[in-house]
Amino acid sequence: MKPSHIEHIGIAVNDLQQAIKYYEDVLGLKCYAVEEVADQKVRTAFFLVGETKIELLESSDADGPVGKFIEKRGEGIHHIAFAMDDASQALKEAEEKGVQLIDKTSRKGAEGLDIGFLHPKSTFGVLTEFCSKN
Ligand code: CMX
């Protein structure tokens, strides 16, 4: 397994519209998509920086993963996502190497990608995501 690049960096924010304004007005990036991911209880906004995206995450439910994260730790970097050839296979290989998984197999995430998470307790405190196009 080897990631081809960092697919995105997920950043937890309290207010999506205010955060979008910062990325557009200060950094000069363009928000190209806003998407609700109901099963993750988040609203997302995407910006492209080279090959890597910034994914802003606003919680749509205080009990969701981003709502709980912000309550405990405040706004900030929430996860890092690596682009893989096959997210399910990468999850399987990580588990074989002793990493604790959140997702045993991949599922559909934002932008229709196959995604799956590794537990931050197993990855030196960084919530880690694998993504693939199929
Ligand atoms: N990064 C690092 N550590 C994190 C974390 C994160 N994003 N989120 C939670 N933790 C830590 C907490 O600080 C806590 O640590 P302590 O035990 O030392 O206090 C521990 O993990 C448990 O946290 P919790 O608040 O009790 O939360 P849960 O165990 O219920 O859930 C997690 C934590 C990571 C399993 C859950 O957030 C999860 O399943 N995340 C994956 C899905 C996700 O984050 N979706 C949103 C993004 C979706 C998208 O990109 O589209």
Side-chain angles (χ1 to χ4, degrees):
M1 131 164 67
K2 194 169 175 203
S4 58
H5 60 283
I6 293 175
E7 211 283 334
H8 66 266
I9 297 169
I11 298 175
V13 300
N14 280 321
D15 184 316
L16 201 60
Q17 289 311 319
Q18 277 184 19
I20 288 172
K21 198 165 155 36
Y22 161 75
Y23 281 88
E24 291 196 329
D25 292 356
V26 179
L27 293 183
L29 299 172
K30 175 91 192 105
C31 174
Y32 70 86
V34 173
E35 183 182 342
E36 177 125 18
V37 186
D39 75 320
Q40 295 294 306
K41 300 177 176 168
V42 288
R43 277 183 287 277
T44 62
F46 286 96
F47 305 81
L48 199 55
V49 188
E51 240 191 310
T52 300
K53 296 162 191 161
I54 299 288
E55 179 188 32
L56 301 181
L57 299 157
E58 177 193 71
S59 183
S60 55
D61 180 332
D63 280 341
V66 172
K68 285 171 73 177
F69 175 87
I70 288 183
E71 195 189 311
K72 263 195 172 169
R73 299 176 164 221
E75 295 176 296
I77 294 182
H78 178 262
H79 66 270
I80 185 163
F82 294 101
M84 312 301 282
D85 281 345
D86 180 336
S88 272
Q89 178 62 26
L91 290 168
K92 187 165 166 277
E93 286 178 32
E95 188 172 39
E96 283 164 5
K97 289 179 177 168
V99 175
Q100 185 190 335
L101 304 183
I102 293 170
D103 300 299
K104 289 269 174 202
T105 186
S106 66
R107 55 196 160 90
K108 285 289 171 202
E111 301 198 300
L113 294 178
D114 287 340
I115 64 149
F117 286 90
L118 313 183
H119 201 286
K121 294 286 174 206
S122 231
T123 55
F124 301 89
V126 178
L127 176 62
T128 299
E129 178 179 354
F130 291 156
C131 303
S132 63
K133 290 199 170 132
N134 46 46

